[in-house]
Amino acid sequence: NDSNAANNTINAAINISAAPTIAPQVLFQSGFNADAGGFVYLDDAFRATRQPNYAAGSRIVTAGDGKLQVRLGGADAVIIKNMSGGWRKSFTLTKAQSVTLSFEYRVDQTPHYESNEWSDALLSLDGRLIGLNGGDFLSRVTGDGEEGSARTSGKMQVTLTRGPLAAGTHTIILGGFNNQKTSSREITTITFDNVKLNAKP
């Protein structure tokens, strides 16, 4: 009868709306307050650079807040071109999946870089750079001349989705690049915080 038909329609609607939502799989997540979260630092991580004496990585902690840092340049007054360093971490997928990576970063230059000297925050996935706004970098900071002001990207937040990636092991590297320094006072720092990688169910 009409009453039974109406009840069946209501029950069907309830069953559809009650379908469970599958949460994304968290592959890794770290704010770096306790440790480096499984990330490992390496010199010359990008763009085939070969200047390990002008790159360094460390986990820094300020008032309990940890970050991963890459430091480029400085050291001496020798003109050095193309320096890079990065923090590497691998993850494994048991099937082809899309992944979403989110993190915070910041690029800072001391106030001594000239206008032909610049610094990039970089991200690579399986050896390929991933950039924003059509470039192969996340943010670029360029000097404004000796005795100018310190230059910074400010705190940036980024979320990127890639895939589906094939089943197997993949590697991301978070870091930076400086195209040139000409004095010991020209130092770039790139920091990363609150890194999270999710896989789509």
Side-chain angles (χ1 to χ4, degrees):
N1 58 31
D2 292 342
S3 177
N4 288 336
N7 287 336
N8 288 337
T9 300
I10 293 172
N11 289 336
I14 292 174
N15 288 336
I16 292 171
S17 63
T21 299
I22 302 175
Q25 175 190 1
V26 179
L27 298 176
F28 60 78
Q29 181 175 5
S30 182
F32 310 116
N33 295 340
D35 54 37
F39 281 81
V40 177
Y41 173 77
L42 65 157
D43 295 326
D44 296 314
F46 305 99
R47 296 174 175 164
T49 62
R50 295 184 179 180
Q51 297 292 350
N53 293 332
Y54 298 90
S58 60
R59 184 177 70 91
I60 59 173
V61 181
T62 303
D65 181 23
K67 292 178 175 61
L68 298 184
Q69 182 187 83
V70 175
R71 186 179 187 274
L72 304 171
D76 54 40
V78 177
I79 298 174
I80 300 294
K81 296 180 180 293
N82 301 334
M83 301 148 275
S84 74
W87 289 88
R88 177 178 60 196
K89 186 175 176 69
S90 296
F91 61 95
T92 300
L93 300 177
T94 58
K95 62 181 180 180
Q97 291 173 280
S98 294
V99 298
T100 298
L101 177 67
S102 62
F103 57 92
E104 299 167 3
Y105 71 91
R106 180 182 174 114
V107 185
D108 291 287
Q109 284 185 335
T110 55
H112 310 292
Y113 281 93
E114 281 73 44
S115 60
N116 64 335
E117 297 170 336
W118 41 265
S119 306
D120 291 342
L122 297 178
L123 161 68
S124 70
L125 172 62
D126 296 336
R128 298 185 63 179
L129 288 171
I130 297 174
L132 301 175
N133 303 316
D136 66 353
F137 54 88
L138 301 172
S139 288
R140 174 169 292 178
V141 174
T142 301
D144 63 353
E146 183 68 26
E147 304 306 332
S149 59
R151 306 283 284 174
T152 181
S153 66
K155 181 180 176 180
M156 307 293 288
Q157 169 76 45
V158 64
T159 299
L160 296 164
T161 298
R162 288 294 183 272
L165 305 182
T169 300
H170 301 272
T171 301
I172 68 166
I173 303 177
L174 296 167
F177 171 89
N178 181 198
N179 78 314
Q180 179 176 278
K181 73 94 185 173
T182 56
S183 84
S184 62
R185 298 193 298 173
E186 292 178 345
I187 300 168
T188 294
T189 56
I190 306 101
T191 55
F192 297 90
D193 200 3
N194 298 321
V195 178
K196 184 177 183 179
L197 183 70
N198 290 336
K200 186 176 180 180

